[in-house]
Amino acid sequence: GKWKFHLLYFISEGIKRPSELQRKIPGATRRVLNVQLNELEGYGLVTKKVHAELPLKVEYSLTAFGNSVIPVITALGKWGDDHQDRLRELIGESNRWVKM
């Protein structure tokens, strides 16, 4: 899923509620984020806690397994930041080929 790395990273940074995650990832619909959060939970990367209060309050947190992938996500993000000019160039080139 397109947003899973983002979700894991933001949860690791302390953003735990679905509404907070939605604000951090405005390009994704609420439904898509919920599906991907459920998949991450199924993979054992995050846990979901539902507080028994009205309105229901849901919070996500990383498992130990989820925490183990954060250094990889951070390194990949740094690589993307370090090479963003070249990556934008390549994306532009690939878009030109698609339009032909």
Side-chain angles (χ1 to χ4, degrees):
K2 181 177 179 177
W3 304 110
K4 286 183 179 132
F5 278 177
H6 292 86
L7 290 167
L8 290 168
Y9 178 77
F10 289 133
I11 292 169
S12 78
E13 292 291 300
I15 298 167
K16 312 246 184 246
R17 307 273 318 274
S19 59
E20 296 170 320
L21 292 165
Q22 176 72 53
R23 281 191 291 276
K24 291 298 258 184
I25 311 172
T29 66
R30 185 75 171 252
R31 182 186 177 289
V32 166
L33 292 182
N34 284 336
V35 167
Q36 292 192 9
L37 284 163
N38 286 334
E39 289 174 357
L40 290 170
E41 185 181 13
Y43 301 150
L45 295 166
V46 300
T47 58
K48 176 179 174 179
K49 182 175 182 182
V50 179
H51 298 273
E53 57 187 62
L54 291 176
L56 284 179
K57 180 179 172 185
V58 176
E59 291 183 334
Y60 290 91
S61 59
L62 294 180
T63 62
F65 186 47
N67 271 312
S68 72
V69 77
I70 296 304
V72 176
I73 292 170
T74 303
L76 189 56
K78 182 182 179 333
W79 179 86
D81 289 345
D82 291 347
H83 299 285
Q84 65 182 319
D85 293 337
R86 178 67 180 137
L87 293 169
R88 289 183 200 283
E89 214 175 277
L90 291 169
I91 290 168
E93 289 173 11
S94 69
N95 287 337
R96 282 192 293 269
W97 283 103
V98 170
K99 293 177 185 175
M100 294 180 130

